Amino acid sequence: MSLYRSTKFPLFILMLNLFIALLGQGMVIPILPEYLKQFDAAGAAAGFLVAAFGAAQFIFSPIGGKLSDQMGRKKMIMFGLFLTVISDFMFAISNSLPLLYLARFIGGMGLGFMVPSNMAYVADITTSDTRAKGMGYLGAAMNLGMVLGPGLGGIIAEFGIRVPYFVAAGLGLIATVLTLLMPETLTEDKRLAASRKVREPIGQQISQSFRTPYFPYLILIFVITFGLVNYETVYALFVEQKYGYTAAQISIVITTGAIIGIIVQVWLLHRFIKWIGEIGLIRLSLVMTSISLLLMLFQVNLVYLLIVSSLFFAFNAFLRPTLSTLISNAAGDRQGYASGLNTTYTSLGTILGPLLAGILFDWHLNLPYILGSIVLLTALAITYNMNRSRHIYVKERKQVS
């Protein structure tokens, strides 16, 4: 079943919003080695930059999810977008590392407010039959922004190393204006009901997430984010040192991966879910992404690097929308809350992954990929407890009622 015709324009705007927001983050990757030279910094600073982004997401995602249920999806999407505009502009004009860290933190705040509302919006305008496809489109937009951003960043940087961030800020303003055309999907009754609920502190929300039916999915969200960001944070530095490639060549590799990821999410995700089911697809993707990280350790040539990177992006592209759909289907009428937790666990991976990747890279350039592979393989054990955890939760809920 295809998405309803009336959802096409809002879904397009949501995809554009996520693409633009993640574009600024992705632009860091190919030009990062050269950019950090202006500040006499290297690998560890790269890790801290990405971690600052993740730390802000971790803090503000639960707040964004709650406010999405209380104030409406549209307002939070616009507010988050505007913060990403400020972040990109600050990154373009910063002349010190502390200002770069602050810019990334503000960008993380923007995504913390925006992403839960985007996911909740999709849940509002889709049915249980079309939700996986809608989440797949959002995942494709996020993937495109994160991995096409480096390609565009490498090209635009030919006009000046700071120009890509000015471009990202301008695109963000356009997306903010376009969001004005979207209808609000949260009804007044649901908004009032959510406003009467007491807002729990972040720590309490996370502790409560342990007893949700989708807690194993949240853990997997953390794990796959850890693996992806672990891969991306030091990728440009890794390829530069191991292969001696330029920013333009790095951009080619990542752009190819982006195209593969989009094809997988838009055209193949739904088919694979029908073929082997959500859990089967998650298990297959964890194995293949782990293998591709280990294959990165072997230095061959540009074609080999293209193939291995595309393999990683293809199977990683299956993971997030599949898990987001499972979370959304289990969330009931608390879509904003569940989406906020989704983004919170994503941001945890975005904090720890870059920090460890930067430190390990300074010890040996292969270590981040070895660790990422081990973590992804270990996550397979979680998939065998998924159905059991959901059945226990349903049984407890029936006893309470």
Side-chain angles (χ1 to χ4, degrees), residues 186-218:
L186 189 67
T187 63
E188 187 66 26
D189 291 343
K190 290 183 178 180
R191 196 180 308 175
L192 290 173
S195 298
R196 295 189 190 103
K197 295 178 181 178
V198 178
R199 189 186 306 168
E200 305 95 342
I202 295 175
Q204 186 176 343
Q205 289 186 40
I206 294 176
S207 66
Q208 288 178 355
S209 72
F210 299 164
R211 292 184 55 77
T212 62
Y214 45 85
F215 177 64
Y217 311 147
L218 293 173

PDB file of all heavy atoms in Angstrom, residues 186-218:
ATOM      1  N   LEU A 186      -1.125  17.475  15.135  1.00  0.00           N
ATOM      2  CA  LEU A 186      -1.506  17.144  16.505  1.00  0.00           C
ATOM      3  C   LEU A 186      -2.803  17.876  16.860  1.00  0.00           C
ATOM      4  O   LEU A 186      -2.865  19.103  16.816  1.00  0.00           O
ATOM      5  CB  LEU A 186      -0.391  17.546  17.480  1.00  0.00           C
ATOM      6  CG  LEU A 186      -0.558  17.070  18.917  1.00  0.00           C
ATOM      7  CD1 LEU A 186      -0.449  15.555  19.008  1.00  0.00           C
ATOM      8  CD2 LEU A 186       0.489  17.717  19.827  1.00  0.00           C
ATOM      9  N   THR A 187      -3.826  17.130  17.216  1.00  0.00           N
ATOM     10  CA  THR A 187      -5.114  17.741  17.538  1.00  0.00           C
ATOM     11  C   THR A 187      -5.044  18.470  18.876  1.00  0.00           C
ATOM     12  O   THR A 187      -4.191  18.186  19.724  1.00  0.00           O
ATOM     13  CB  THR A 187      -6.214  16.669  17.607  1.00  0.00           C
ATOM     14  OG1 THR A 187      -5.919  15.761  18.680  1.00  0.00           O
ATOM     15  CG2 THR A 187      -6.298  15.889  16.301  1.00  0.00           C
ATOM     16  N   GLU A 188      -5.962  19.398  19.056  1.00  0.00           N
ATOM     17  CA  GLU A 188      -5.994  20.193  20.285  1.00  0.00           C
ATOM     18  C   GLU A 188      -6.247  19.320  21.513  1.00  0.00           C
ATOM     19  O   GLU A 188      -5.683  19.556  22.581  1.00  0.00           O
ATOM     20  CB  GLU A 188      -7.075  21.264  20.169  1.00  0.00           C
ATOM     21  CG  GLU A 188      -7.091  22.268  21.313  1.00  0.00           C
ATOM     22  CD  GLU A 188      -5.843  23.136  21.339  1.00  0.00           C
ATOM     23  OE1 GLU A 188      -5.226  23.327  20.265  1.00  0.00           O
ATOM     24  OE2 GLU A 188      -5.476  23.616  22.432  1.00  0.00           O
ATOM     25  N   ASP A 189      -7.083  18.302  21.370  1.00  0.00           N
ATOM     26  CA  ASP A 189      -7.375  17.414  22.504  1.00  0.00           C
ATOM     27  C   ASP A 189      -6.119  16.683  22.974  1.00  0.00           C
ATOM     28  O   ASP A 189      -5.842  16.607  24.180  1.00  0.00           O
ATOM     29  CB  ASP A 189      -8.449  16.394  22.109  1.00  0.00           C
ATOM     30  CG  ASP A 189      -9.812  17.046  21.912  1.00  0.00           C
ATOM     31  OD1 ASP A 189      -9.984  18.189  22.398  1.00  0.00           O
ATOM     32  OD2 ASP A 189     -10.674  16.424  21.273  1.00  0.00           O
ATOM     33  N   LYS A 190      -5.367  16.155  22.030  1.00  0.00           N
ATOM     34  CA  LYS A 190      -4.149  15.435  22.388  1.00  0.00           C
ATOM     35  C   LYS A 190      -3.104  16.382  22.979  1.00  0.00           C
ATOM     36  O   LYS A 190      -2.362  16.020  23.889  1.00  0.00           O
ATOM     37  CB  LYS A 190      -3.572  14.726  21.165  1.00  0.00           C
ATOM     38  CG  LYS A 190      -4.403  13.546  20.695  1.00  0.00           C
ATOM     39  CD  LYS A 190      -3.736  12.840  19.533  1.00  0.00           C
ATOM     40  CE  LYS A 190      -4.545  11.616  19.095  1.00  0.00           C
ATOM     41  NZ  LYS A 190      -3.913  10.904  17.959  1.00  0.00           N
ATOM     42  N   ARG A 191      -3.066  17.609  22.466  1.00  0.00           N
ATOM     43  CA  ARG A 191      -2.109  18.591  22.973  1.00  0.00           C
ATOM     44  C   ARG A 191      -2.432  18.959  24.429  1.00  0.00           C
ATOM     45  O   ARG A 191      -1.538  19.041  25.274  1.00  0.00           O
ATOM     46  CB  ARG A 191      -2.145  19.836  22.085  1.00  0.00           C
ATOM     47  CG  ARG A 191      -0.962  20.761  22.253  1.00  0.00           C
ATOM     48  CD  ARG A 191      -1.095  21.959  21.333  1.00  0.00           C
ATOM     49  NE  ARG A 191      -1.343  21.565  19.948  1.00  0.00           N
ATOM     50  CZ  ARG A 191      -1.582  22.418  18.966  1.00  0.00           C
ATOM     51  NH1 ARG A 191      -1.618  23.715  19.224  1.00  0.00           N
ATOM     52  NH2 ARG A 191      -1.793  22.001  17.738  1.00  0.00           N
ATOM     53  N   LEU A 192      -3.694  19.164  24.722  1.00  0.00           N
ATOM     54  CA  LEU A 192      -4.102  19.501  26.086  1.00  0.00           C
ATOM     55  C   LEU A 192      -3.850  18.338  27.038  1.00  0.00           C
ATOM     56  O   LEU A 192      -3.416  18.527  28.176  1.00  0.00           O
ATOM     57  CB  LEU A 192      -5.577  19.895  26.109  1.00  0.00           C
ATOM     58  CG  LEU A 192      -5.935  21.233  25.448  1.00  0.00           C
ATOM     59  CD1 LEU A 192      -7.439  21.415  25.403  1.00  0.00           C
ATOM     60  CD2 LEU A 192      -5.271  22.393  26.188  1.00  0.00           C
ATOM     61  N   ALA A 193      -4.123  17.133  26.570  1.00  0.00           N
ATOM     62  CA  ALA A 193      -3.896  15.951  27.406  1.00  0.00           C
ATOM     63  C   ALA A 193      -2.417  15.795  27.737  1.00  0.00           C
ATOM     64  O   ALA A 193      -2.044  15.486  28.878  1.00  0.00           O
ATOM     65  CB  ALA A 193      -4.416  14.701  26.711  1.00  0.00           C
ATOM     66  N   ALA A 194      -1.560  16.034  26.741  1.00  0.00           N
ATOM     67  CA  ALA A 194      -0.113  15.918  26.974  1.00  0.00           C
ATOM     68  C   ALA A 194       0.383  17.027  27.892  1.00  0.00           C
ATOM     69  O   ALA A 194       1.299  16.824  28.694  1.00  0.00           O
ATOM     70  CB  ALA A 194       0.629  15.979  25.638  1.00  0.00           C
ATOM     71  N   SER A 195      -0.241  18.220  27.817  1.00  0.00           N
ATOM     72  CA  SER A 195       0.186  19.350  28.644  1.00  0.00           C
ATOM     73  C   SER A 195      -0.117  19.119  30.118  1.00  0.00           C
ATOM     74  O   SER A 195       0.556  19.667  30.997  1.00  0.00           O
ATOM     75  CB  SER A 195      -0.503  20.637  28.172  1.00  0.00           C
ATOM     76  OG  SER A 195      -0.149  20.942  26.847  1.00  0.00           O
ATOM     77  N   ARG A 196      -1.133  18.304  30.405  1.00  0.00           N
ATOM     78  CA  ARG A 196      -1.486  18.048  31.805  1.00  0.00           C
ATOM     79  C   ARG A 196      -0.524  17.072  32.473  1.00  0.00           C
ATOM     80  O   ARG A 196      -0.477  16.998  33.698  1.00  0.00           O
ATOM     81  CB  ARG A 196      -2.903  17.469  31.874  1.00  0.00           C
ATOM     82  CG  ARG A 196      -3.991  18.441  31.399  1.00  0.00           C
ATOM     83  CD  ARG A 196      -5.370  17.910  31.693  1.00  0.00           C
ATOM     84  NE  ARG A 196      -6.391  18.710  31.029  1.00  0.00           N
ATOM     85  CZ  ARG A 196      -7.029  18.333  29.927  1.00  0.00           C
ATOM     86  NH1 ARG A 196      -6.753  17.155  29.366  1.00  0.00           N
ATOM     87  NH2 ARG A 196      -7.943  19.118  29.389  1.00  0.00           N
ATOM     88  N   LYS A 197       0.210  16.330  31.648  1.00  0.00           N
ATOM     89  CA  LYS A 197       1.146  15.364  32.216  1.00  0.00           C
ATOM     90  C   LYS A 197       2.390  16.082  32.752  1.00  0.00           C
ATOM     91  O   LYS A 197       2.890  17.022  32.144  1.00  0.00           O
ATOM     92  CB  LYS A 197       1.561  14.341  31.153  1.00  0.00           C
ATOM     93  CG  LYS A 197       0.396  13.470  30.674  1.00  0.00           C
ATOM     94  CD  LYS A 197       0.861  12.518  29.587  1.00  0.00           C
ATOM     95  CE  LYS A 197      -0.295  11.667  29.077  1.00  0.00           C
ATOM     96  NZ  LYS A 197       0.126  10.761  27.983  1.00  0.00           N
ATOM     97  N   VAL A 198       2.878  15.615  33.880  1.00  0.00           N
ATOM     98  CA  VAL A 198       4.076  16.196  34.482  1.00  0.00           C
ATOM     99  C   VAL A 198       5.294  15.745  33.689  1.00  0.00           C
ATOM    100  O   VAL A 198       5.448  14.564  33.376  1.00  0.00           O
ATOM    101  CB  VAL A 198       4.215  15.762  35.960  1.00  0.00           C
ATOM    102  CG1 VAL A 198       5.495  16.339  36.561  1.00  0.00           C
ATOM    103  CG2 VAL A 198       2.990  16.203  36.748  1.00  0.00           C
ATOM    104  N   ARG A 199       6.149  16.697  33.340  1.00  0.00           N
ATOM    105  CA  ARG A 199       7.347  16.387  32.580  1.00  0.00           C
ATOM    106  C   ARG A 199       8.430  15.820  33.487  1.00  0.00           C
ATOM    107  O   ARG A 199       8.878  16.481  34.431  1.00  0.00           O
ATOM    108  CB  ARG A 199       7.871  17.641  31.877  1.00  0.00           C
ATOM    109  CG  ARG A 199       8.995  17.375  30.881  1.00  0.00           C
ATOM    110  CD  ARG A 199       9.555  18.672  30.340  1.00  0.00           C
ATOM    111  NE  ARG A 199       8.513  19.506  29.785  1.00  0.00           N
ATOM    112  CZ  ARG A 199       8.691  20.776  29.466  1.00  0.00           C
ATOM    113  NH1 ARG A 199       9.858  21.351  29.660  1.00  0.00           N
ATOM    114  NH2 ARG A 199       7.693  21.482  28.970  1.00  0.00           N
ATOM    115  N   GLU A 200       8.835  14.583  33.209  1.00  0.00           N
ATOM    116  CA  GLU A 200       9.865  13.952  34.035  1.00  0.00           C
ATOM    117  C   GLU A 200      11.251  14.478  33.645  1.00  0.00           C
ATOM    118  O   GLU A 200      11.479  14.864  32.503  1.00  0.00           O
ATOM    119  CB  GLU A 200       9.841  12.433  33.836  1.00  0.00           C
ATOM    120  CG  GLU A 200       8.482  11.804  34.094  1.00  0.00           C
ATOM    121  CD  GLU A 200       7.681  11.647  32.817  1.00  0.00           C
ATOM    122  OE1 GLU A 200       8.040  12.321  31.819  1.00  0.00           O
ATOM    123  OE2 GLU A 200       6.703  10.891  32.818  1.00  0.00           O
ATOM    124  N   PRO A 201      12.185  14.486  34.607  1.00  0.00           N
ATOM    125  CA  PRO A 201      13.572  14.829  34.267  1.00  0.00           C
ATOM    126  C   PRO A 201      14.137  13.828  33.261  1.00  0.00           C
ATOM    127  O   PRO A 201      13.624  12.717  33.115  1.00  0.00           O
ATOM    128  CB  PRO A 201      14.302  14.725  35.617  1.00  0.00           C
ATOM    129  CG  PRO A 201      13.229  14.818  36.651  1.00  0.00           C
ATOM    130  CD  PRO A 201      12.007  14.232  36.035  1.00  0.00           C
ATOM    131  N   ILE A 202      15.215  14.236  32.578  1.00  0.00           N
ATOM    132  CA  ILE A 202      15.799  13.383  31.542  1.00  0.00           C
ATOM    133  C   ILE A 202      16.195  12.024  32.108  1.00  0.00           C
ATOM    134  O   ILE A 202      15.903  10.977  31.517  1.00  0.00           O
ATOM    135  CB  ILE A 202      17.033  14.070  30.913  1.00  0.00           C
ATOM    136  CG1 ILE A 202      16.603  15.329  30.174  1.00  0.00           C
ATOM    137  CG2 ILE A 202      17.746  13.129  29.959  1.00  0.00           C
ATOM    138  CD1 ILE A 202      17.749  16.130  29.628  1.00  0.00           C
ATOM    139  N   GLY A 203      16.843  12.038  33.292  1.00  0.00           N
ATOM    140  CA  GLY A 203      17.268  10.775  33.892  1.00  0.00           C
ATOM    141  C   GLY A 203      16.097   9.856  34.167  1.00  0.00           C
ATOM    142  O   GLY A 203      16.180   8.642  33.962  1.00  0.00           O
ATOM    143  N   GLN A 204      14.984  10.431  34.619  1.00  0.00           N
ATOM    144  CA  GLN A 204      13.804   9.625  34.916  1.00  0.00           C
ATOM    145  C   GLN A 204      13.188   9.077  33.630  1.00  0.00           C
ATOM    146  O   GLN A 204      12.720   7.935  33.589  1.00  0.00           O
ATOM    147  CB  GLN A 204      12.776  10.460  35.680  1.00  0.00           C
ATOM    148  CG  GLN A 204      11.571   9.663  36.172  1.00  0.00           C
ATOM    149  CD  GLN A 204      10.626  10.509  37.002  1.00  0.00           C
ATOM    150  OE1 GLN A 204      10.995  11.583  37.471  1.00  0.00           O
ATOM    151  NE2 GLN A 204       9.411  10.035  37.179  1.00  0.00           N
ATOM    152  N   GLN A 205      13.184   9.881  32.565  1.00  0.00           N
ATOM    153  CA  GLN A 205      12.657   9.405  31.291  1.00  0.00           C
ATOM    154  C   GLN A 205      13.478   8.225  30.780  1.00  0.00           C
ATOM    155  O   GLN A 205      12.923   7.246  30.264  1.00  0.00           O
ATOM    156  CB  GLN A 205      12.669  10.535  30.263  1.00  0.00           C
ATOM    157  CG  GLN A 205      11.645  11.627  30.535  1.00  0.00           C
ATOM    158  CD  GLN A 205      11.595  12.635  29.403  1.00  0.00           C
ATOM    159  OE1 GLN A 205      11.669  12.272  28.243  1.00  0.00           O
ATOM    160  NE2 GLN A 205      11.481  13.906  29.755  1.00  0.00           N
ATOM    161  N   ILE A 206      14.794   8.325  30.906  1.00  0.00           N
ATOM    162  CA  ILE A 206      15.649   7.233  30.439  1.00  0.00           C
ATOM    163  C   ILE A 206      15.422   5.983  31.282  1.00  0.00           C
ATOM    164  O   ILE A 206      15.331   4.862  30.755  1.00  0.00           O
ATOM    165  CB  ILE A 206      17.127   7.659  30.472  1.00  0.00           C
ATOM    166  CG1 ILE A 206      17.363   8.776  29.446  1.00  0.00           C
ATOM    167  CG2 ILE A 206      18.034   6.471  30.182  1.00  0.00           C
ATOM    168  CD1 ILE A 206      18.752   9.335  29.468  1.00  0.00           C
ATOM    169  N   SER A 207      15.309   6.158  32.619  1.00  0.00           N
ATOM    170  CA  SER A 207      15.069   4.996  33.476  1.00  0.00           C
ATOM    171  C   SER A 207      13.717   4.359  33.164  1.00  0.00           C
ATOM    172  O   SER A 207      13.571   3.136  33.195  1.00  0.00           O
ATOM    173  CB  SER A 207      15.145   5.406  34.948  1.00  0.00           C
ATOM    174  OG  SER A 207      14.104   6.295  35.292  1.00  0.00           O
ATOM    175  N   GLN A 208      12.714   5.180  32.841  1.00  0.00           N
ATOM    176  CA  GLN A 208      11.409   4.646  32.475  1.00  0.00           C
ATOM    177  C   GLN A 208      11.457   3.922  31.132  1.00  0.00           C
ATOM    178  O   GLN A 208      10.671   2.999  30.884  1.00  0.00           O
ATOM    179  CB  GLN A 208      10.377   5.770  32.412  1.00  0.00           C
ATOM    180  CG  GLN A 208       9.983   6.329  33.775  1.00  0.00           C
ATOM    181  CD  GLN A 208       9.001   7.480  33.672  1.00  0.00           C
ATOM    182  OE1 GLN A 208       8.674   7.933  32.576  1.00  0.00           O
ATOM    183  NE2 GLN A 208       8.533   7.960  34.819  1.00  0.00           N
ATOM    184  N   SER A 209      12.382   4.321  30.286  1.00  0.00           N
ATOM    185  CA  SER A 209      12.489   3.665  28.980  1.00  0.00           C
ATOM    186  C   SER A 209      12.887   2.200  29.126  1.00  0.00           C
ATOM    187  O   SER A 209      12.626   1.393  28.225  1.00  0.00           O
ATOM    188  CB  SER A 209      13.516   4.393  28.099  1.00  0.00           C
ATOM    189  OG  SER A 209      14.842   4.164  28.531  1.00  0.00           O
ATOM    190  N   PHE A 210      13.510   1.843  30.285  1.00  0.00           N
ATOM    191  CA  PHE A 210      13.927   0.455  30.489  1.00  0.00           C
ATOM    192  C   PHE A 210      12.734  -0.501  30.498  1.00  0.00           C
ATOM    193  O   PHE A 210      12.899  -1.689  30.199  1.00  0.00           O
ATOM    194  CB  PHE A 210      14.694   0.303  31.807  1.00  0.00           C
ATOM    195  CG  PHE A 210      15.954   1.124  31.887  1.00  0.00           C
ATOM    196  CD1 PHE A 210      16.570   1.363  33.111  1.00  0.00           C
ATOM    197  CD2 PHE A 210      16.536   1.664  30.749  1.00  0.00           C
ATOM    198  CE1 PHE A 210      17.724   2.120  33.206  1.00  0.00           C
ATOM    199  CE2 PHE A 210      17.691   2.426  30.827  1.00  0.00           C
ATOM    200  CZ  PHE A 210      18.285   2.654  32.051  1.00  0.00           C
ATOM    201  N   ARG A 211      11.541   0.020  30.855  1.00  0.00           N
ATOM    202  CA  ARG A 211      10.378  -0.842  30.979  1.00  0.00           C
ATOM    203  C   ARG A 211       9.400  -0.706  29.809  1.00  0.00           C
ATOM    204  O   ARG A 211       8.302  -1.236  29.857  1.00  0.00           O
ATOM    205  CB  ARG A 211       9.649  -0.548  32.295  1.00  0.00           C
ATOM    206  CG  ARG A 211      10.448  -0.963  33.531  1.00  0.00           C
ATOM    207  CD  ARG A 211       9.654  -0.737  34.813  1.00  0.00           C
ATOM    208  NE  ARG A 211       8.365  -1.399  34.803  1.00  0.00           N
ATOM    209  CZ  ARG A 211       8.180  -2.707  35.006  1.00  0.00           C
ATOM    210  NH1 ARG A 211       9.225  -3.492  35.238  1.00  0.00           N
ATOM    211  NH2 ARG A 211       6.968  -3.222  34.994  1.00  0.00           N
ATOM    212  N   THR A 212       9.802   0.024  28.786  1.00  0.00           N
ATOM    213  CA  THR A 212       8.948   0.120  27.602  1.00  0.00           C
ATOM    214  C   THR A 212       9.123  -1.142  26.757  1.00  0.00           C
ATOM    215  O   THR A 212      10.159  -1.807  26.827  1.00  0.00           O
ATOM    216  CB  THR A 212       9.317   1.353  26.751  1.00  0.00           C
ATOM    217  OG1 THR A 212      10.672   1.214  26.291  1.00  0.00           O
ATOM    218  CG2 THR A 212       9.183   2.629  27.556  1.00  0.00           C
ATOM    219  N   PRO A 213       8.132  -1.481  25.932  1.00  0.00           N
ATOM    220  CA  PRO A 213       8.258  -2.681  25.087  1.00  0.00           C
ATOM    221  C   PRO A 213       9.321  -2.528  24.007  1.00  0.00           C
ATOM    222  O   PRO A 213       9.755  -3.513  23.418  1.00  0.00           O
ATOM    223  CB  PRO A 213       6.860  -2.824  24.469  1.00  0.00           C
ATOM    224  CG  PRO A 213       6.304  -1.444  24.477  1.00  0.00           C
ATOM    225  CD  PRO A 213       6.841  -0.803  25.734  1.00  0.00           C
ATOM    226  N   TYR A 214       9.745  -1.277  23.756  1.00  0.00           N
ATOM    227  CA  TYR A 214      10.719  -1.049  22.690  1.00  0.00           C
ATOM    228  C   TYR A 214      12.118  -0.748  23.224  1.00  0.00           C
ATOM    229  O   TYR A 214      12.970  -0.273  22.471  1.00  0.00           O
ATOM    230  CB  TYR A 214      10.247   0.093  21.775  1.00  0.00           C
ATOM    231  CG  TYR A 214       9.721   1.320  22.492  1.00  0.00           C
ATOM    232  CD1 TYR A 214      10.581   2.315  22.939  1.00  0.00           C
ATOM    233  CD2 TYR A 214       8.358   1.488  22.699  1.00  0.00           C
ATOM    234  CE1 TYR A 214      10.100   3.439  23.584  1.00  0.00           C
ATOM    235  CE2 TYR A 214       7.859   2.616  23.345  1.00  0.00           C
ATOM    236  CZ  TYR A 214       8.741   3.584  23.780  1.00  0.00           C
ATOM    237  OH  TYR A 214       8.261   4.706  24.429  1.00  0.00           O
ATOM    238  N   PHE A 215      12.373  -1.045  24.512  1.00  0.00           N
ATOM    239  CA  PHE A 215      13.699  -0.777  25.071  1.00  0.00           C
ATOM    240  C   PHE A 215      14.822  -1.499  24.308  1.00  0.00           C
ATOM    241  O   PHE A 215      15.870  -0.891  24.034  1.00  0.00           O
ATOM    242  CB  PHE A 215      13.745  -1.145  26.551  1.00  0.00           C
ATOM    243  CG  PHE A 215      15.098  -0.972  27.173  1.00  0.00           C
ATOM    244  CD1 PHE A 215      15.686   0.278  27.268  1.00  0.00           C
ATOM    245  CD2 PHE A 215      15.819  -2.073  27.639  1.00  0.00           C
ATOM    246  CE1 PHE A 215      16.949   0.444  27.829  1.00  0.00           C
ATOM    247  CE2 PHE A 215      17.071  -1.913  28.202  1.00  0.00           C
ATOM    248  CZ  PHE A 215      17.642  -0.668  28.294  1.00  0.00           C
ATOM    249  N   PRO A 216      14.666  -2.795  23.935  1.00  0.00           N
ATOM    250  CA  PRO A 216      15.736  -3.432  23.147  1.00  0.00           C
ATOM    251  C   PRO A 216      16.009  -2.710  21.829  1.00  0.00           C
ATOM    252  O   PRO A 216      17.151  -2.656  21.369  1.00  0.00           O
ATOM    253  CB  PRO A 216      15.199  -4.845  22.899  1.00  0.00           C
ATOM    254  CG  PRO A 216      14.243  -5.091  24.009  1.00  0.00           C
ATOM    255  CD  PRO A 216      13.600  -3.756  24.272  1.00  0.00           C
ATOM    256  N   TYR A 217      14.950  -2.150  21.241  1.00  0.00           N
ATOM    257  CA  TYR A 217      15.150  -1.406  19.998  1.00  0.00           C
ATOM    258  C   TYR A 217      15.968  -0.131  20.248  1.00  0.00           C
ATOM    259  O   TYR A 217      16.792   0.274  19.425  1.00  0.00           O
ATOM    260  CB  TYR A 217      13.810  -1.012  19.368  1.00  0.00           C
ATOM    261  CG  TYR A 217      12.801  -2.128  19.243  1.00  0.00           C
ATOM    262  CD1 TYR A 217      11.441  -1.876  19.350  1.00  0.00           C
ATOM    263  CD2 TYR A 217      13.203  -3.453  19.022  1.00  0.00           C
ATOM    264  CE1 TYR A 217      10.500  -2.887  19.236  1.00  0.00           C
ATOM    265  CE2 TYR A 217      12.279  -4.468  18.919  1.00  0.00           C
ATOM    266  CZ  TYR A 217      10.926  -4.189  19.021  1.00  0.00           C
ATOM    267  OH  TYR A 217      10.004  -5.193  18.913  1.00  0.00           O
ATOM    268  N   LEU A 218      15.717   0.504  21.388  1.00  0.00           N
ATOM    269  CA  LEU A 218      16.471   1.712  21.739  1.00  0.00           C
ATOM    270  C   LEU A 218      17.955   1.387  21.928  1.00  0.00           C
ATOM    271  O   LEU A 218      18.826   2.157  21.520  1.00  0.00           O
ATOM    272  CB  LEU A 218      15.902   2.331  23.013  1.00  0.00           C
ATOM    273  CG  LEU A 218      14.484   2.917  22.908  1.00  0.00           C
ATOM    274  CD1 LEU A 218      13.975   3.339  24.294  1.00  0.00           C
ATOM    275  CD2 LEU A 218      14.447   4.105  21.950  1.00  0.00           C
TER     276      LEU A 218
END
